[in-house]
Amino acid sequence: MQVTDAVTTPPNWELYRRTVVDIRFPDRTVRIKPRPRGTAEGPFPELPGPAGTVALHVVTAYDPHGRPALTEDNARAQARLLDELGRRGLAWWPATGSDVHGTHIEQSVAVAGLSDSAARELGRRFGQDAVFAWTPGTWRLLSCDGGATDIDAVLVRDAVGTIPTGAESRRRAPGRAPARPPTAPPPAGPETTPVSPPV
């Protein structure tokens, strides 16, 4: 069952609701698909931070206001987002958001340590219509401007293959984001702030 607040939603809301998200943790990549409420499957990862940290927010700087941008503009915007996360000292992991067929893919990040309001504000600062919030058993779509929320359950599975790697996922020291988009492809191996294996 879908629950939507009685608030105006962005024009691309239905597309956002069907987004598939891959998150690359150090030990595996998981694929998150929205499901009808009450049908949650799959583990939620143990997150770093204070006890009770039980949310990941997925944010991107790609294609502000739902309009396609040039590759270079998207890369610069995403680098600014990663710089911001680094300045705040937030733990994050590379992610992608795509349509169900994988024809439209946006580099993203899964961030621990944000409240819903802080995640919405971050998305708003980077021109986004919405961000995602993942908690055990629930996948929520949060409008950055209007306050609308869709609530669904979530299906979590190990991803088949790997998520596309962009400049944003280069090897870096924990808690640090690259200062500018690198030009070489990312090296193999763990690339993110360490977390405990999913339970």
Side-chain angles (χ1 to χ4, degrees):
M1 170 163 92
Q2 168 192 328
V3 177
T4 305
D5 293 349
V7 181
T8 304
T9 57
N12 292 326
W13 192 255
E14 285 305 310
L15 294 175
Y16 300 144
R17 286 191 62 241
R18 294 188 300 266
T19 298
V20 174
V21 174
D22 288 347
I23 301 174
R24 187 178 351 170
F25 293 107
D27 62 337
R28 67 184 183 146
T29 297
V30 296
R31 174 158 292 154
I32 303 162
K33 294 182 179 182
R35 304 286 277 193
R37 197 168 193 183
T39 58
E41 295 178 46
F44 184 79
E46 193 173 311
L47 300 177
T53 302
V54 292
L56 278 175
H57 289 88
V58 179
V59 183
T60 186
Y62 269 49
D63 297 340
H65 309 292
R67 292 189 292 270
L70 296 173
T71 302
E72 318 66 74
D73 293 340
N74 279 333
R76 278 191 294 275
Q78 192 73 2
R80 286 192 306 274
L81 171 60
L82 297 179
D83 286 344
E84 173 70 19
L85 298 176
R87 279 192 298 278
R88 293 186 189 189
L90 294 168
W92 60 273
W93 298 265
T96 58
S98 69
D99 61 41
V100 294
H101 303 292
T103 56
H104 177 81
I105 299 172
E106 295 182 1
Q107 297 297 320
S108 304
V109 289
V111 185
L114 293 174
S115 65
D116 286 354
S117 61
R120 282 176 155 142
E121 172 59 28
L122 186 62
R124 195 167 34 252
R125 287 186 49 220
F126 285 89
Q128 299 303 304
D129 292 330
V131 297
F132 296 98
W134 180 26
T135 56
T138 305
W139 182 249
R140 293 176 294 135
L141 175 59
L142 310 174
S143 170
C144 290
D145 287 326
T149 303
D150 264 346
I151 302 172
D152 289 298
V154 63
L155 171 67
V156 181
R157 294 276 189 248
D158 286 335
V160 176
T162 59
I163 60 174
T165 55
E168 301 79 19
S169 61
R170 281 197 47 95
R171 182 179 302 279
R172 63 195 175 280
R176 297 206 40 197
R180 60 183 174 76
T183 55
E191 305 172 294
T192 59
T193 305
V195 295
S196 301
V199 292

